[in-house]
Amino acid sequence: MKTTSTETASKMPPRLAVIIPCYNEEDILAETHDVVVKCLRQLINAGKTDRESFICFVDDGSSDKTWDLIEGFTGDGMVRGIKLSSNFGHQNALLAGLMTMKDSADCFVTMDADLQDDASAIDLMIDKYLEGNMIVYGVRDNRSSDSILKRSSAGIFYRLMNRIGVRTVYNHADFRLADRRVIDCLAGYREVNLFLRGIFPLMGFRSDQVSYIRKSRTGGRSKYPLQKMAGFAWQGITSFNTSLLRIVTATGILMFILALVTAIWALITYFSGKSIQGWTSILLIISAFSGINMISLGLIGEYVGKIYLEVKQRPRYHIEKMKL
């Protein structure tokens, strides 16, 4: 009988692949390489992971020397590299690494290249994995390294996602461990509007969490300014739920009731012989209706646009080079 990867993991150290997407990270990539390689060697020496465990850097169309550095790292036998032909975005770069390497390891850790994710937490993730968990989420203990605005907006985002029924892990980004069977299932999710933070909890496999302190970036610039984070949050909300469309329907019903009440009031005042000034109330009603109507059309347009992108079924990434 064929053994599963989890059953194999209980008998022998799993082969681990650490997937790290990179975009213009030449200032910090050498440090990232050293830190993660050290962590991986400690795991191997402790007998927690197989000696064939490796790191895979995914260059997401960088315009600096990121790929040159990755090519240099591949000489030590512990590093592999994937170069995408263009900048396809963080989520697609993660997916490219996972899908390309999914048959080369028993479990996978994804983390950012800026070292804000604590590489030492991988040790705890492996422990949870060996206990039988198929997904292990890295959850931030606090967000003290973030600005007040970023902390506040993140809290609103997670609360909103949970309120509209989208399953997410609070204070979890994309630092996680996943079993190979989970990645095989992930391959079946073909949507172009990719939001991995929502997909992994949606799959429902046995999971656990490890806490870590998120560090400040020591080099390079953040690739997620507030505007891009807002766009990413909007992507997550509209990709997983149609609640906003239900809000449009509810608002339409409310406006209809308001219009009906206004019509009754107008008829009563008309038949009672009272003069109706009316211009202010009419103007307010027309303005309110017009604004809500435009917002509603915009929300519907967002979903239609997503349908358009999904129907085209364009590839989510193209690989230009690989160093294995």
Side-chain angles (χ1 to χ4, degrees):
M1 183 176 66
K2 185 178 178 181
T3 58
T4 64
S5 56
T6 303
E7 291 169 343
T8 302
S10 65
K11 297 176 183 177
M12 62 183 65
R15 183 187 300 181
L16 171 66
V18 182
I19 310 296
I20 305 177
C22 313
Y23 178 64
N24 292 340
E25 298 287 6
E26 65 174 349
D27 293 334
I28 197 173
L29 201 58
E31 183 181 354
T32 303
H33 167 266
D34 293 344
V35 169
V36 181
V37 164
K38 180 182 178 182
C39 174
L40 203 53
R41 284 178 176 156
Q42 289 174 344
L43 289 170
I44 292 171
N45 293 334
K48 289 187 176 183
T49 58
D50 188 85
R51 292 193 173 276
E52 294 185 9
S53 299
F54 61 92
I55 304 164
C56 178
F57 290 101
V58 183
D59 180 9
D60 186 23
S62 298
S63 57
D64 60 3
K65 296 180 180 179
T66 294
W67 178 247
D68 294 335
L69 289 169
I70 293 172
E71 283 189 307
F73 299 154
T74 58
D76 64 9
M78 191 174 279
V79 175
R80 304 181 186 186
I82 298 172
K83 178 176 174 58
L84 302 185
S85 60
S86 183
N87 179 225
F88 290 93
H90 180 266
Q91 298 289 282
N92 287 323
L94 277 176
L95 187 71
L98 290 169
M99 293 300 105
T100 305
M101 298 297 164
K102 69 184 181 72
D103 296 323
S104 301
D106 300 311
C107 58
F108 302 80
V109 167
T110 56
M111 63 181 294
D112 291 340
D114 55 15
L115 287 181
Q116 289 188 273
D117 297 330
D118 187 2
S120 64
I122 297 175
D123 193 337
L124 299 175
M125 289 181 170
I126 292 293
D127 288 341
K128 297 286 187 182
Y129 174 72
L130 294 175
E131 291 173 4
N133 294 289
M134 297 181 68
I135 304 174
V136 184
Y137 300 103
V139 177
R140 305 170 192 181
D141 260 343
N142 59 68
R143 306 184 70 103
S144 57
S145 62
D146 295 337
S147 65
I148 295 175
L149 180 59
K150 192 171 182 179
R151 289 199 298 271
S152 302
S153 59
I156 293 170
F157 166 70
Y158 286 112
R159 285 193 292 271
L160 177 60
M161 292 289 279
N162 289 328
R163 179 64 63 89
I164 65 176
V166 181
R167 294 174 61 185
T168 57
V169 178
Y170 189 76
N171 271 348
H172 164 72
D174 286 297
F175 186 30
R176 72 178 71 86
L177 179 147
D179 181 80
R180 182 167 58 193
R181 284 181 295 171
V182 176
I183 304 305
D184 287 337
C185 291
L186 178 63
Y189 288 74
R190 305 302 305 169
E191 58 254 49
V192 173
N193 298 282
L194 197 62
F195 187 69
L196 293 175
R197 301 180 194 184
I199 290 177
F200 277 96
L202 179 67
M203 286 193 280
F205 290 103
R206 178 179 171 182
S207 64
D208 206 337
Q209 302 178 9
V210 299
S211 298
Y212 71 98
I213 298 174
R214 187 163 173 83
K215 303 175 183 177
S216 299
R217 174 183 275 269
T218 59
R221 294 182 303 155
S222 172
K223 307 306 182 296
Y224 268 89
L226 185 60
Q227 182 179 357
K228 195 169 182 179
M229 284 186 62
F232 185 63
W234 182 253
Q235 167 103 328
I237 292 169
T238 55
S239 294
F240 273 80
N241 201 278
T242 57
S243 294
L244 293 179
L245 291 177
R246 295 192 187 102
I247 292 173
V248 170
T249 303
T251 305
I253 294 171
L254 181 64
M255 290 301 298
F256 174 76
I257 293 171
L258 179 62
L260 187 62
V261 171
T262 304
I264 293 171
W265 171 75
L267 287 171
I268 291 173
T269 54
Y270 175 77
F271 286 114
S272 65
K274 297 178 180 179
S275 61
I276 302 173
Q277 299 296 323
W279 292 109
T280 302
S281 59
I282 291 174
L283 181 62
L284 288 174
I285 291 171
I286 291 175
S287 299
F289 177 77
S290 299
I292 292 171
N293 190 40
M294 293 304 295
I295 292 172
S296 301
L297 288 174
L299 287 173
I300 293 168
E302 284 285 340
Y303 283 99
V304 172
K306 286 183 177 292
I307 294 170
Y308 173 66
L309 292 174
E310 295 293 343
V311 168
K312 287 194 293 185
Q313 286 291 295
R314 288 182 176 176
R316 291 172 287 186
Y317 57 85
H318 293 293
I319 296 175
E320 181 179 325
K321 296 179 183 178
M322 286 197 297
K323 295 285 287 186
L324 304 177

